Amino acid sequence: MKLRLFPQEPVGLNLLSQMAHQIVLGTGTFAEILGAPASEHPRLVEDMHNHEAKSAELHFALLTHMRTSFLNPLPREDMYGLSRYLNEAMEKLDAAADLVLLYKLERPPKRAAEQLEIISRQAELTVDAMRKLNDLDDLEDYWIEILRLTKRAERTHRVWVADMLKDMKSAQYARHRDVADQLVDVTKDMRRIATQVGSIIVKES
């Protein structure tokens, strides 16, 4: 039997899904940064800033919607938590791109591409999951898969840091470590979203 809180997809869930889509777009822009010459970085980082600005706009639109809507598909604290973590994930992805530009990192390590692949997959799954929050039957697999991907990201981060310590001088290491930390923190925010979804599943079961 389907567990359905409301018969139709509410506006709030669509806004959450759009926020997750901004992260998908952001990973694509970051991938372009990794493959582009340094002369192209300012333009691409500006594109990333636009994704972050759109995420913030959607976040505030959701807050306004929750204040003015009589019925919400989920408790307001759950909706706010999901929106907050999505927005923070986008902010950290934007910060990582900004650091590439500020530090003039012409060739970020290949490990960055591995982390972006994980973030992109997490975000794609989350786009779909946010739309399904009024029909929770299929979301347990989402929850588990996001946790698996986060563990993979944390392992990649540890290997990346170890490689940097071995191969880089201290100043270079510090710059690249800042980017690495921002990227792994994005995956942790995606895990927080999945954990919040898990909490919703438990409460509504």
Side-chain angles (χ1 to χ4, degrees), residues 36-163:
S39 61
E40 292 292 310
H41 288 176
R43 175 183 62 81
L44 292 168
V45 170
E46 185 61 31
D47 288 345
M48 184 70 82
H49 292 338
N50 291 335
H51 296 316
E52 191 277 329
K54 180 63 176 179
S55 176
E57 178 185 318
L58 292 166
H59 176 57
F60 291 122
L62 179 62
L63 298 184
T64 299
H65 175 72
M66 286 192 296
R67 287 198 307 270
T68 57
S69 176
F70 180 71
L71 290 176
N72 287 289
L74 299 168
R76 283 179 170 85
E77 59 270 23
D78 287 324
M79 296 283 285
Y80 173 76
L82 292 167
S83 183
R84 172 192 163 194
Y85 294 139
L86 283 164
N87 194 49
E88 289 180 357
M90 187 64 242
E91 288 175 347
K92 288 164 186 168
L93 189 60
D94 179 53
D98 211 21
L99 288 171
V100 171
L101 176 63
L102 293 171
Y103 291 161
K104 297 179 172 59
L105 303 181
E106 295 192 16
R107 295 187 179 276
K110 292 180 180 179
R111 298 288 180 189
E114 294 179 30
Q115 294 294 57
L116 282 177
E117 179 187 350
I118 294 169
I119 294 167
S120 179
R121 183 58 183 153
Q122 288 179 317
E124 288 169 354
L125 291 169
T126 302
V127 169
D128 190 47
M130 295 300 97
R131 294 196 186 107
K132 292 181 177 178
L133 283 171
N134 62 346
D135 186 357
L136 302 175
D137 280 0
D138 298 327
L139 288 182
E140 189 171 343
D141 288 343
Y142 158 76
W143 178 17
I144 293 168
E145 179 63 8
I146 293 292
L147 297 181
R148 186 192 70 80
L149 286 166
T150 306
K151 289 181 181 179
R152 179 182 154 197
E154 289 172 343
R155 168 65 179 168
T156 298
H157 181 71
R158 290 192 293 270
V159 173
W160 187 359
V161 170
D163 287 346

Side-chain angles (χ1 to χ4, degrees), residues 173-202:
Y173 165 79
R175 292 192 293 270
H176 283 263
R177 176 66 187 264
D178 281 350
V179 175
D181 288 349
Q182 290 289 342
L183 290 178
V184 78
D185 282 348
V186 176
T187 72
K188 291 177 181 178
D189 279 335
M190 303 307 290
R191 179 178 62 192
R192 291 185 182 100
I193 295 161
T195 300
Q196 188 99 15
V197 170
S199 174
I200 293 166
I201 292 170
V202 170

